[in-house]
Structures are given as structure tokens and as C-alpha cells.
């Protein structure tokens, strides 16, 4: 068969359902650079956002982080501090929170928490042997499964050795929250 | 718009099947399953350009009180040849959004000073991770972001700041800079 170009708008199965096969083992399927892939072939929904101003939190209390400034949001899927993908699938979620004590080396325990539907799903903790810390980022990452209504939120926690102010800091987007869909997972 | 109804599409000659052209949108409807097991995917449906590089050949000495470009001088892989092991810049040649990650191992520590790890886009900081904890020797820091690149002049580096300390970037695969393109984002 001669080499050729087929111009068509939509490709469906001949029976209306089932499988469309492109190529076979050993061949290369090329979608040229510069083309846009959408739908199931795209890593969307995806978003990234960050804390735009410092946020005070209470000692020994899980507190939702006010992630209020979007870098981008494809569907959109992020609003009111919540990531609600709206498309069932698996997502890579990443975040980091910069927690700071003010006025002293009193950072006893810092934690970042990823909540799914209001419940703690995963934590990461920074727990120094001595309370000699002032500030540190606590990162967290997870691959999560979501249906079309599941939502995810970012929380932070600090235990301070004495009373005083605890801040979540915004310094150059150092407190951030992002996610993208994993294709085919 | 025309519709092709078929179950199998193969290249008429050779082993490459091209779907669409630059500027086109290839839509795989949400809800469809994309099975690319064993296939080679190139172009817009690939997570490339992508690379991973790390520090080898000796620790890197890092100056105080200034932002220093971290010298990840050895590539694990570099699809698209967009990372330069002499300038330590990632300059993607395809416009789009990229997931960037860096994790570093630092030799030294024990000092109560401020350490910042940055992602720079061109000459501007776009993401920061901070450690002000009197960390032990050695210690690690990590930073992630999804960034937008224009596919021509935009470049990214990982930079580090330390105040009054003498930590060094460890020569190790634990000191890495990596990135890949997100599909359809």
C-alpha cells in the first residue's frame, strides 16, 4: 500500500464501541510536537497554587493552609483551598509548607498533612531531637485515587516549646500545593 | 466533519504512524482508555523534553551570602538534549508546562543559619524551600514546581543560599535536578 495521508475529523470504532488500535508492536506512534493533546491523553486536571501572605496558626492544632493564589488551574479544579479534580483517576499531589516560629528557637515538631474529604490521608513530620529550629519547609507528596467528587486539602501543624506566634510563610512561593493527573494509571 | 469508523490504523509504509500536525488538537475523549503498552510514543503525547542530572566528581563548594548555581554535572538521561552540563541550565525547546524537582544532599550542617534552595526561571526565583533548623551533617532539602516555558529562551537553574556556613553540595546521586514536560496541560 502506498504511503499516504488520511484526513479525517473523528475516528470511532466500526461497531460504535470497543477498541481502536493504532499501529502494532515495534511501530512508533507520533503526535507531532506542537500538537495539543486533550481528554484522556492529557495530564489534566492539573493546578498549582501558593500562599500569598503569611498565615498565623495555633499551637498543637491542625490548620488548613490558605492556598489562595493560583499559578494555573486547567479545568478549573482548585477553589476555596480545595482541589476537586472532578475527573476520576489517579493524581500526583505535591506540596510544601514553610512553618516558622517567631522570636526564638522553639520549633519542636512541624507536620504537613494531606486531607482527603475532610480526613487526614497522609502526613510528613519534621521532629528535631532538640528544639533548636526557627523555620523549615515540610514537604509532602502522594499518589491518590479520586472519584468525581473527592477533594483534597493541605493542612499544617506545629508544636512550639512555649507560647507565641507560629506563622506559615509565603516567602517567594515557599508554601505551595499542586497536582496533575497520571495517564492510564 | 468526517468520521472514520475502523478498529485498526497502521502505517502504510515504514514503522511510524503520525497522527495530526503541529497546531492540531488530538482529543481522546474523557472516559476512554488509552492503552499504549509496549508502544513507543513520541511528540506531544510524550513527557519530553525530560532529563535527570546529578552531582559527581567531587563536592561543590558553596559561597556564603549569595545565590549559587548548583552544578549538576552528570546526566542520567536527557531526552531532547535540553540540559547543559556546563551551564547547569535546563532550556526546554518545546513550549509548555514542566514539572521540575530537585533534591540535594548537603555535607556540613550543625550551624544555626538560614539555608534556601531555589528554582530560578531565567534570573528570577519562582520557588523556595527553606531550612533554618540547625540541621545535622549531612542533611537534605527538596523543592518542586510546575513551571511555564516558552520553548526557546526560558531556562531553569537550581540555586542555593547559605548565610555564614560552609556546607557543600554532596557528590552523589542524592543531589539531583530533574524535569519533564506535562502532557496536555
Amino acid at each position: 500500500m502506498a504511503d499516504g495521508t488520511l484526513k479525517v475529523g473523528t475516528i470511532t470504532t466500526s461497531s460504535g464501541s470497543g477498541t481502536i488500535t493504532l499501529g502494532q508492536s515495534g511501530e512508533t506512534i507520533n503526535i507531532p510536537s506542537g500538537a495539543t493533546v486533550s481528554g484522556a491523553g492529557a495530564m489534566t486536571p492539573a493546578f498549582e497554587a501558593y500562599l500569598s501572605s503569611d498565615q498565623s496558626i495555633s499551637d498543637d492544632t491542625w490548620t488548613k493552609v490558605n492556598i489562595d493564589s493560583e499559578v494555573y488551574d486547567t479545568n478549573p479544579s482548585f477553589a476555596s483551598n480545595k482541589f476537586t479534580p472532578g475527573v476520576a483517576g489517579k493524581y500526583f499531589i505535591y506540596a510544601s509548607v514553610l512553618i516558622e516560629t517567631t522570636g526564638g528557637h522553639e520549633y519542636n515538631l512541624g507536620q504537613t498533612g494531606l486531607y482527603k474529604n475532610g480526613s487526614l490521608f497522609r502526613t510528613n513530620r519534621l521532629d528535631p531531637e532538640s528544639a533548636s529550629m526557627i523555620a523549615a519547609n515540610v514537604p509532602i507528596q502522594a499518589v491518590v485515587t479520586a472519584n468525581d467528587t473527592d477533594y483534597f486539602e493541605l493542612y499544617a501543624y506545629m508544636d512550639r516549646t512555649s507560647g507565641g506566634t507560629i506563622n506559615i510563610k509565603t516567602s517567594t512561593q515557599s508554601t505551595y500545593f499542586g497536582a496533575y493527573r497520571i495517564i492510564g494509571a | 466533519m468526517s468520521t472514520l469508523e475502523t478498529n485498526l490504523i497502521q502505517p502504510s509504509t515504514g514503522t511510524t504512524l503520525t497522527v495530526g500536525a503541529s497546531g492540531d488538537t488530538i482529543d481522546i475523549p474523557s472516559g476512554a482508555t488509552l492503552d499504549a503498552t509496549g508502544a513507543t510514543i513520541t511528540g506531544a503525547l510524550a513527557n519530553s523534553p525530560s532529563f535527570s542530572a546529578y552531582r559527581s566528581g567531587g563536592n561543590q563548594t558553596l559561597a556564603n551570602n549569595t545565590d549559587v548555581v548548583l552544578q549538576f554535572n552528570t546526566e542520567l538521561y536527557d531526552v531532547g538534549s535540553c540540559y547543559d552540563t556546563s551551564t547547569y541550565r535546563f532550556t526546554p525547546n518545546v513550549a509548555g508546562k514542566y514539572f521540575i524537582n530537585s533534591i540535594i544532599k548537603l555535607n556540613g550542617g550543625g550551624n544555626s543559619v538560614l539555608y534556601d534552595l531555589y528554582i530560578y526561571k531565567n534570573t528570577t526565583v519562582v520557588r523556595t524551600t527553606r531550612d533554618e533548623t540547625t540541621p545535622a551533617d549531612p542533611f537534605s532539602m527538596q523543592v518542586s514546581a510546575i513551571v511555564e516555558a516558552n520553548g526557546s529562551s526560558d531556562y531553569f537553574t537550581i540555586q542555593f543560599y547559605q548565610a555564614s556556613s560552609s556546607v557543600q553540595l554532596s557528590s552523589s546521586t542524592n543531589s539531583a535536578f530533574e524535569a519533564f514536560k506535562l502532557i496536555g496541560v
Side-chain angles (χ1 to χ4, degrees), chain A residues 34-185:
Chain A
T36 299
V37 176
S38 64
M43 301 171 78
T44 57
F47 85 99
E48 190 176 84
Y50 62 93
L51 177 73
S52 66
S53 58
D54 293 351
Q55 177 187 353
S56 292
I57 63 173
S58 299
D59 193 21
D60 293 327
T61 305
W62 280 105
T63 304
K64 189 187 302 184
V65 183
N66 295 327
I67 301 292
D68 56 354
S69 186
E70 291 184 343
V71 180
Y72 72 95
D73 186 4
T74 59
N75 281 51
S77 56
F78 186 79
S80 303
N81 299 317
K82 290 182 182 177
F83 172 52
T84 309
V87 177
K90 290 187 171 60
Y91 291 81
F92 178 70
I93 293 181
Y94 63 97
S96 190
V97 181
L98 176 56
I99 311 173
E100 178 194 65
T101 62
T102 58
H105 295 248
E106 298 180 339
Y107 189 135
N108 191 47
L109 170 65
Q111 296 188 85
T112 299
L114 180 63
Y115 276 60
K116 179 179 181 181
N117 300 328
S119 298
L120 192 56
F121 172 78
R122 177 166 294 176
T123 62
N124 190 22
R125 49 191 285 138
L126 185 57
D127 187 0
E129 288 186 356
S130 61
S132 59
M133 299 165 59
I134 298 174
N137 271 85
V138 185
I140 190 166
Q141 298 173 337
V143 174
V144 300
T145 299
N147 62 24
D148 56 2
T149 59
D150 287 335
Y151 64 92
F152 301 87
E153 299 163 300
L154 181 64
Y155 278 67
Y157 174 101
M158 175 183 262
D159 173 40
R160 185 174 175 165
T161 54
S162 66
T165 303
I166 300 169
N167 284 327
I168 301 174
K169 300 290 287 182
T170 182
S171 176
T172 320
Q173 298 188 22
S174 53
T175 294
Y176 55 90
F177 186 20
Y180 54 82
R181 192 173 69 85
I182 300 171
I183 298 172

